[in-house]
Amino acid sequence: MAYQKIIVGIGVLLGLLLLRRTKPTFLKAILIGLAISFGLTFFTEKLLVNISFFSFGILTLGFSIHQGIHKKWRNFIIGLFAFLSFLWSLSHWPLIGELRFLMIIPIALYVWTLVKKRETENGLSIITILAWYELSEFLILMEQWAQLV
């Protein structure tokens, strides 16, 4: 699943390119935290991988709460799906395939944001990272389905 790191890496690079457009300092901190969290996945030490995993979950939860408080529901849903993916992976709950299938929803919301609201969206950098992560999760499901056929 090396392609998953490549896909998320593209999202992180695109998100970092949009760093200047991210206005509130809180969102900048989340963006930098997500980039560092992704960077930690390249180390083989188990502690750093665990820190990366948990920081991703905490940062996506913080982003979702922030967007919910400010009534930015598209961003909230995109962040919520990323957090739910973290939660499902952490708890090893069943129905992960269904959750990965539902990643179509935040991906579609991200595309809609790019088409309609690109210039006015403050959290575009963060939702770019999260949408590319969600795309990688969806592609995991597609790969599993292809192996069944």
Side-chain angles (χ1 to χ4, degrees), residues 1-2 4-6 8-9 12 33-56 133:
M1 293 198 199
Q4 186 178 15
K5 278 191 179 181
I6 293 170
V8 176
V12 169
L34 286 172
I36 292 171
S37 174
F38 173 72
L40 290 177
T41 62
F42 290 101
F43 293 100
T44 57
E45 189 173 330
K46 193 71 170 169
L47 177 64
L48 293 177
V49 172
N50 287 339
I51 289 171
S52 169
F53 179 71
F54 285 106
S55 65
F56 175 80
Y133 166 74

Side-chain angles (χ1 to χ4, degrees), residues 6-7 12-13 20 26 28 33 54 68 72 87 96 103 109 113 121-122 124 126 132 137 141 145 149:
I6 293 170
I7 292 171
V12 169
L13 289 175
R20 288 188 177 185
F26 180 72
K28 283 185 180 183
F54 285 106
K72 295 188 176 189
L87 196 60
I96 187 71
M103 291 296 175
L109 287 173
T113 301
E121 193 55 55
N122 242 350
L124 186 62
I126 297 171
W132 282 79
E137 287 288 313
L141 179 68
W145 282 359
V149 175

Side-chain angles (χ1 to χ4, degrees), residues 18-23 117-122 124:
L18 297 169
L19 176 65
R20 288 188 177 185
R21 291 185 46 190
T22 307
K23 298 288 185 219
K117 304 279 187 181
R118 189 170 119 204
E119 296 303 320
T120 62
E121 193 55 55
N122 242 350
L124 186 62

Side-chain angles (χ1 to χ4, degrees), residues 10 20 34 107 110 114 122 126-127:
I10 292 169
R20 288 188 177 185
L34 286 172
I107 293 168
Y110 174 71
L114 285 180
N122 242 350
I126 297 171
I127 64 171

Side-chain angles (χ1 to χ4, degrees), residues 11-143:
V12 169
L13 289 175
L14 291 173
L16 287 174
L17 287 174
L18 297 169
L19 176 65
R20 288 188 177 185
R21 291 185 46 190
T22 307
K23 298 288 185 219
T25 307
F26 180 72
L27 292 182
K28 283 185 180 183
I30 289 177
L31 174 64
I32 293 169
L34 286 172
I36 292 171
S37 174
F38 173 72
L40 290 177
T41 62
F42 290 101
F43 293 100
T44 57
E45 189 173 330
K46 193 71 170 169
L47 177 64
L48 293 177
V49 172
N50 287 339
I51 289 171
S52 169
F53 179 71
F54 285 106
S55 65
F56 175 80
I58 291 167
L59 290 169
T60 55
L61 178 63
F63 175 73
S64 297
I65 291 171
H66 180 269
Q67 296 303 300
I69 289 171
H70 289 87
K71 296 183 179 15
K72 295 188 176 189
W73 301 118
R74 283 186 318 275
N75 294 356
F76 171 76
I77 291 170
I78 292 170
L80 180 66
F81 271 89
F83 177 71
L84 289 176
S85 173
F86 158 77
L87 196 60
W88 251 255
S89 298
L90 176 67
S91 302
H92 300 289
W93 288 338
L95 306 175
I96 187 71
E98 286 78 356
L99 179 63
R100 286 181 175 152
F101 180 74
L102 289 175
M103 291 296 175
I104 292 172
I105 296 168
I107 293 168
L109 287 173
Y110 174 71
V111 170
W112 186 73
T113 301
L114 285 180
V115 171
K116 297 285 185 181
K117 304 279 187 181
R118 189 170 119 204
E119 296 303 320
T120 62
E121 193 55 55
N122 242 350
L124 186 62
S125 56
I126 297 171
I127 64 171
T128 298
I129 295 173
L130 297 180
W132 282 79
Y133 166 74
E134 290 157 346
L135 175 65
S136 71
E137 287 288 313
F138 182 73
L139 291 176
I140 290 172
L141 179 68
M142 294 297 108
E143 180 185 19

